[in-house]
Amino acid sequence: MTDLAKDLAKDPTQVSENFTQSLYTDEDGSRSLFTRVKDSFKRQELVETEGIDLDTYSMTDYQRTNYLLAKQPYQKNLSQRHLTMIAIGGTLGTGLFIGIGWSLASGPGNLLIGFLLTGLAIFCVVQCAAELSCQYPVSGSFASHVSRFVDPSWGFTVTTNYCLAWSISFPSELIGCAMTIGYWDSSVNPVVWVIIFWLFIMALNLFGVRGFAETEYVLSIFKILAIIIFLIIGVVLICGGGPNSNGYIGTKYWHDPGSFKAPVFKSLCNTFVSAAFSFGGTELVVLTAAESRKVESISRAAKGTFWRVIVFYVSTVVVIGCLVPYTDERLLGGDTSEDIAASPFVIALANTGKFGERVSNFMNAVILIAVLSVCNSCVYAASRVIQSLGASGQLPSICGYVDRKGRPLFGILVVGLFGFLPFIVASNKVSEVFDWLFALCSISSMFIWFSICYSYLRYRWALKKQNRSADEIAYKSMLGIWGAYLGLLLSALLIVGEIYVSLFPLGESPSAEAFFKYCLSIPIMIAVYIGHKSYTGNWKSFVIPLSGIDLDTGLSHSDVEIMKHELEIQRVKLASKPLYYRIFRFWC
């Protein structure tokens, strides 16, 4: 008889207790893996994080909210390499690989101008958001800054729209993953692939911020390499190289059928829709401020936006405009993210004959990687914003749940529930349902960009109003306050342009359906804003007075003089470097 059998015969209850205890402790008495994993899901309290019990009751509600957002128990695991790659390639998705096909149908000239204007706007926006996030690395980042520097109701409107946009994108991108796999094997029910990818993405985010960051790092490298390969092949084809070449192409298609589709202004405004979709999420890197090891890493990573705009968008748009005429009917399929045949990348390379027949497999793999990356970003971004709303008291406190591994569990759960949307709508109505779901947040990206620039300006105005020096700013925007004015203006123009093409669609008659598919978010945002104002009863002012803006709570540096001294040391050290290195550090 074995020892276990003998023990069972003597005292079955004691054996059961010993077995249970063995799950929680190792032989040396330390906690077992099971125990550590179980305990990691317990809520991390702020007192444990700080090590002291700070009396927040002496603060005003406004100050207490700022304090709580600055002290959320996230783990600071993001390094410079993570942030740099997230900034450059983190949100290169279907908007670039497929969505620009719809805008190219408006003419390559309009497409280039539209992307240049939108790219300049987003560069200004990210610089503004980066300065604020380096100064105040709080939960929710720029979404929380709007509440702090503008108005809580305005901030709530921005935050809920941003959260909704990412949450709705999640199920749509899951469907995109399933449809992309279906290109290779259509015998498997797409629902199976949706479940597999849902489990994969949720598991990644349960590994914490490190799981998200490492995945984005790898996927971004693949996406960047794919674009570089395409640009090289594209240049070769334009110059007349490649199989089945018909000779030098150059700017042939810019002259015939032309660069601009009539009516020019309306066609230009039409490109704003896909440009905003393509650039949407560029601000994601700034959202990581509360989980970055060094806040200055955010400033450096934000500079990568410039290179992303120039290399990965503008260069791609120019090459595609040279390889595909805007009259190609296949481009008009670009309004659906699952149809890779509508991708200008595929169309450009498919025109090369047998070589083009093989490229669809390559582009399909790239699109799958891009969609997976966006799915990962959806869960990360939406869960952090939900957590910030819970921490600030604008949603129930359970929404602010952060466990001992720094995971906003309730936020991840809520976004995960959105991933089940594909299962509850009729299969033949999926596209129509998601069209209207996206209409809920269609114009919100531009509204968020506008709000970021405005909150930045309010911060700078408050410094001046309270007789504070700009020398207190740890890491300043490359473009300064004038960049914020430019970003504000461009964001407003993009909003007006999208409203214009919604009222008067290109090639269609005006209709209520066409308008609300692009602008349904406008009445939704107005309703949310009024509802929050009514609930809080804060109708006395529509913006926080500049003299009343809190400029001290949650600062990334505790001593201004020490911060100035450290920055001066960095400047002296940089000045001693060669010219090429100083230029590199200015832009990177």
Side-chain angles (χ1 to χ4, degrees):
M1 182 179 290
T2 64
D3 292 339
L4 177 60
K6 292 178 181 178
D7 292 340
L8 281 171
K10 292 179 180 179
D11 192 349
T13 303
Q14 184 63 39
V15 171
S16 176
E17 291 177 357
N18 291 340
F19 175 74
T20 303
Q21 183 67 23
S22 69
L23 290 175
Y24 293 90
T25 59
D26 296 326
E27 291 183 0
D28 61 357
S30 62
R31 296 193 309 159
S32 67
L33 175 63
F34 180 84
T35 305
R36 294 196 300 270
V37 171
K38 178 179 70 70
D39 288 348
S40 72
F41 288 96
K42 293 181 179 179
R43 188 165 192 158
Q44 177 69 60
E45 301 297 338
L46 292 182
V47 173
E48 296 178 36
T49 306
E50 287 299 291
I52 57 174
D53 189 7
L54 181 66
D55 180 17
T56 60
Y57 293 100
S58 60
M59 302 179 180
T60 64
D61 290 340
Y62 173 59
Q63 291 173 324
R64 187 180 303 113
T65 297
N66 294 335
Y67 173 81
L68 292 175
L69 288 173
K71 302 302 179 183
Q72 291 304 299
Y74 283 115
Q75 292 193 349
K76 298 184 181 297
N77 288 328
L78 297 182
S79 63
Q80 184 67 62
R81 68 179 179 89
H82 294 133
L83 298 176
T84 300
M85 198 56 66
I86 291 172
I88 296 176
T91 52
L92 295 174
T94 52
L96 175 64
F97 291 111
I98 295 179
I100 63 172
W102 185 260
S103 289
L104 180 56
S106 297
N110 282 325
L111 178 63
L112 178 59
I113 295 173
F115 268 71
L116 281 172
L117 289 175
T118 309
L120 181 57
I122 195 64
F123 183 52
C124 296
V125 169
V126 171
Q127 286 299 309
C128 292
E131 180 178 314
L132 288 179
S133 293
C134 288
Q135 194 76 351
Y136 304 97
V138 299
S139 175
S141 188
F142 53 83
S144 300
H145 293 150
V146 177
S147 293
R148 178 173 188 156
F149 298 112
V150 183
D151 174 66
S153 296
W154 191 328
F156 182 75
T157 304
V158 168
T159 308
T160 51
N161 268 269
Y162 190 71
C163 176
L164 186 62
W166 282 111
S167 299
I168 290 173
S169 294
F170 183 43
S172 178
E173 299 298 337
L174 287 175
I175 293 175
C177 289
M179 298 301 293
T180 307
I181 290 291
Y183 176 83
W184 289 304
D185 184 5
S186 58
S187 62
V188 179
N189 192 319
V191 173
V192 175
W193 292 114
V194 170
I195 295 173
I196 291 173
F197 287 118
W198 184 89
L199 291 172
F200 176 67
I201 296 299
M202 295 304 292
L204 283 178
N205 280 270
L206 287 178
F207 277 105
V209 68
R210 177 62 68 86
F212 160 77
E214 293 294 351
T215 304
E216 282 304 297
Y217 183 81
V218 174
L219 296 181
S220 294
I221 289 176
F222 278 109
K223 289 187 288 183
I224 290 170
L225 289 176
I227 293 178
I228 292 174
I229 290 171
F230 171 80
L231 290 175
I232 293 173
I233 295 174
V235 171
V236 171
L237 295 176
I238 291 171
C239 295
N244 300 328
S245 173
N246 294 320
Y248 176 76
I249 298 175
T251 58
K252 171 184 174 181
Y253 296 131
W254 287 68
H255 299 284
D256 182 20
S259 302
F260 302 94
K261 180 180 179 180
V264 175
F265 180 71
K266 185 181 290 188
S267 295
L268 173 62
C269 293
N270 197 55
T271 65
F272 294 161
V273 178
S274 66
F277 179 59
S278 298
F279 282 103
T282 305
E283 69 288 335
L284 179 65
V285 66
V286 184
L287 197 62
T288 64
E291 297 173 273
S292 302
R293 293 175 184 171
K294 298 179 180 179
V295 291
E296 59 265 31
S297 299
I298 296 294
S299 178
R300 288 193 61 184
K303 296 178 182 179
T305 308
F306 174 81
W307 299 109
R308 179 185 173 191
V309 170
I310 298 298
V311 177
F312 301 121
Y313 284 100
V314 175
S315 298
T316 300
V317 163
V318 171
V319 170
I320 284 177
C322 292
L323 292 175
V324 183
Y326 78 80
T327 52
D328 194 311
E329 295 181 355
R330 290 171 290 181
L331 294 171
L332 297 179
D335 58 336
T336 58
S337 62
E338 296 83 12
D339 185 11
I340 68 163
S343 169
F345 293 79
V346 174
I347 294 172
L349 298 178
N351 291 337
T352 61
K354 291 184 178 180
F355 175 73
E357 295 175 3
R358 303 188 189 99
V359 80
S360 292
N361 285 313
F362 170 72
M363 283 308 304
N364 206 57
V366 172
I367 290 171
L368 178 61
I369 290 172
V371 175
L372 277 174
S373 175
V374 175
C375 284
N376 199 27
S377 297
C378 288
V379 178
Y380 176 84
S383 62
R384 268 60 182 180
V385 172
I386 290 172
Q387 194 279 330
S388 71
L389 287 171
S392 63
Q394 293 181 308
L395 284 180
S397 61
I398 186 62
C399 295
Y401 191 103
V402 178
D403 68 15
R404 293 179 178 178
K405 289 295 183 181
R407 296 168 296 203
L409 285 183
F410 191 83
I412 292 174
L413 173 64
V414 170
V415 185
L417 293 176
F418 273 87
F420 290 119
L421 280 176
F423 305 120
I424 61 176
V425 296
S427 59
N428 60 336
K429 295 290 185 180
V430 169
S431 178
E432 183 178 342
V433 168
F434 279 108
D435 279 347
W436 284 105
L437 285 174
F438 274 111
L440 295 174
C441 49
S442 53
I443 209 169
S444 61
S445 292
M446 302 172 189
F447 176 70
I448 291 167
W449 299 345
F450 179 92
S451 300
I452 290 173
C453 293
Y454 185 50
S455 60
Y456 174 87
L457 289 172
R458 294 270 305 167
Y459 164 66
R460 286 299 194 104
W461 294 341
L463 279 176
K464 186 176 181 180
K465 178 71 174 180
Q466 298 181 27
N467 296 317
R468 305 276 287 268
S469 172
D471 291 336
E472 296 181 18
I473 302 172
Y475 302 96
K476 297 179 182 178
S477 163
M478 294 173 63
L479 305 175
I481 194 169
W482 294 108
Y485 282 115
L486 179 59
L488 196 75
L489 174 63
L490 290 175
S491 298
L493 290 176
L494 292 174
I495 293 172
V496 172
E498 183 160 343
I499 293 175
Y500 173 68
V501 294
S502 301
L503 289 170
F504 307 100
L506 184 65
E508 300 178 16
S509 300
S511 67
E513 180 179 356
F515 174 77
F516 284 113
K517 274 195 174 183
Y518 286 110
C519 296
L520 181 60
S521 56
I522 294 178
I524 296 294
M525 286 188 290
I526 293 174
V528 170
Y529 177 80
I530 294 175
H532 189 271
K533 276 287 185 185
S534 300
Y535 179 77
T536 58
N538 183 23
W539 288 102
K540 295 181 180 179
S541 63
F542 292 96
V543 292
I544 300 171
L546 294 177
S547 58
I549 289 179
D550 179 11
L551 297 175
D552 297 309
T553 307
L555 279 170
S556 58
H557 49 274
S558 56
D559 191 304
V560 175
E561 294 305 319
I562 293 178
M563 180 270 294
K564 291 179 181 179
H565 180 66
E566 291 175 348
L567 290 178
E568 183 60 30
I569 292 175
Q570 292 177 15
R571 281 193 287 267
V572 172
K573 184 178 179 180
L574 183 60
S576 66
K577 299 292 184 179
L579 177 61
Y580 72 87
Y581 182 80
R582 297 200 301 272
I583 295 174
F584 168 78
R585 284 303 305 271
F586 178 80
W587 290 107
C588 299

